[in-house]
Amino acid sequence: MPNLIENQSSNMKPTVTKIAGLFYLTEDGEVIKTPAGHPVGCVDKQVAVEAADAYNQFGSDPGTGCSLYALLCTYLDFGGTPVGELIASLLQDFEDDIVYREVAMLTAMDEIDTEEDVLESPWPNAYLRASGFYDHWEVEAQGGSRIVNYSKISNWLRGELQRLPPHALLTLVYCSANFRCIVPTLALLSSDYPTENFKALISDNVDEQETAVIDHLRAFAAIPEDREAVITNIECSTV
């Protein structure tokens, strides 16, 4: 049975090992751990294989690059956080989201008409309209300025987040922290918004190698809840 090892560098390439029906990243015969000490594994073999490839490309520290391996570590380390706290964190970051900031800028310039296509490609305008974003985007005049009704638009976001399963919600947390992309990630997971458009939105600020994780977001978000099984499976197997 593979042992647990700390997240550290090695000359060995990680491999995927099946243990009691789940797929774990192993290195030199030992199961790799996240920074919080959880075994790195997944119920989905292909995701585990691609996470191992990302580990090999970016290294063992999930903080050194945006990758599927880093996303998997984020899920395992923070997936036990109460849903309400995760949603509150995303609501707190909402004003830094690139879509929010773009629409808010147009609002301030008095160049927005929510009856028309506000944003063009690569922005996820179709999703924004279909999901009710513009229906909740309300502007109030205050002292000669046009101010967004944040309470109303944040209620829209809260409703969208509350429908997400665990993997999808942690995908939002990860993309918010690394790309400032809450709304584009929602569009990707909830509609046919193209991954190439998502990449185009962040291409000026993110290395091309790191945008590769976006290709895996839909598959990762669709994984059934497996965090507890991944962790306890190893604990039971090593007793």
Side-chain angles (χ1 to χ4, degrees), residues 3-236:
N3 297 314
L4 290 172
I5 63 172
E6 292 294 340
N7 207 309
Q8 56 189 6
S9 61
S10 169
N11 292 326
M12 297 290 293
K13 289 186 177 182
T15 58
V16 174
T17 303
K18 187 175 183 180
I19 303 174
L22 298 176
F23 301 94
Y24 292 87
L25 273 63
T26 60
E27 190 175 42
D28 198 20
E30 299 179 314
V31 177
I32 295 168
K33 289 195 296 184
T34 69
H38 297 123
V40 180
C42 182
V43 70
D44 188 303
K45 180 180 179 180
Q46 187 58 36
V47 168
V49 169
E50 291 167 349
D53 289 343
Y55 178 103
N56 186 51
Q57 180 179 6
F58 291 98
S60 61
D61 181 0
T64 60
C66 300
S67 69
L68 186 58
Y69 168 71
L71 175 56
L72 181 55
C73 287
T74 298
Y75 167 72
L76 292 168
D77 282 353
F78 298 100
T81 305
V83 169
E85 291 184 21
L86 294 175
I87 290 177
S89 174
L90 288 166
L91 288 169
Q92 186 175 356
D93 293 341
F94 188 27
E95 289 180 286
D96 285 331
D97 173 77
I98 61 173
V99 168
Y100 182 100
R101 293 176 65 182
E102 182 73 7
V103 179
M105 181 189 70
L106 294 174
T107 296
M109 296 171 62
D110 198 15
E111 294 182 5
I112 182 170
D113 180 356
T114 57
E115 297 302 317
E116 304 293 336
D117 284 346
V118 177
L119 302 173
E120 298 179 354
S121 181
W123 300 93
N125 197 64
Y127 165 75
L128 296 177
R129 191 165 300 287
S131 67
F133 176 93
Y134 292 128
D135 295 332
H136 290 76
W137 189 268
E138 185 176 280
V139 178
E140 301 170 347
Q142 294 184 14
S145 300
R146 292 164 54 80
I147 306 299
V148 177
N149 184 333
Y150 183 73
S151 177
K152 187 170 183 178
I153 193 61
S154 64
N155 283 338
W156 167 85
L157 178 61
R158 183 179 290 105
E160 293 293 289
L161 296 176
Q162 287 173 338
R163 288 194 284 270
L164 297 178
H167 277 82
L169 189 58
L170 265 297
T171 300
L172 264 292
V173 170
Y174 183 81
C175 289
S176 174
N178 289 280
F179 306 132
R180 295 184 178 180
C181 284
I182 297 174
V183 176
T185 306
L186 279 169
L188 190 73
L189 302 184
S190 306
S191 70
D192 59 358
Y193 180 56
T195 58
E196 293 307 314
N197 285 13
F198 191 137
K199 291 180 182 180
L201 287 182
I202 61 175
S203 61
D204 290 342
N205 301 312
V206 180
D207 185 271
E208 184 176 352
Q209 284 186 316
E210 295 187 277
T211 65
V213 67
I214 295 170
D215 293 324
H216 305 294
L217 296 184
R218 282 193 176 109
F220 184 85
I223 297 174
E225 167 61 29
D226 64 351
R227 179 177 179 273
E228 183 176 355
V230 167
I231 295 171
T232 59
N233 186 41
I234 285 293
E235 292 175 349
C236 294

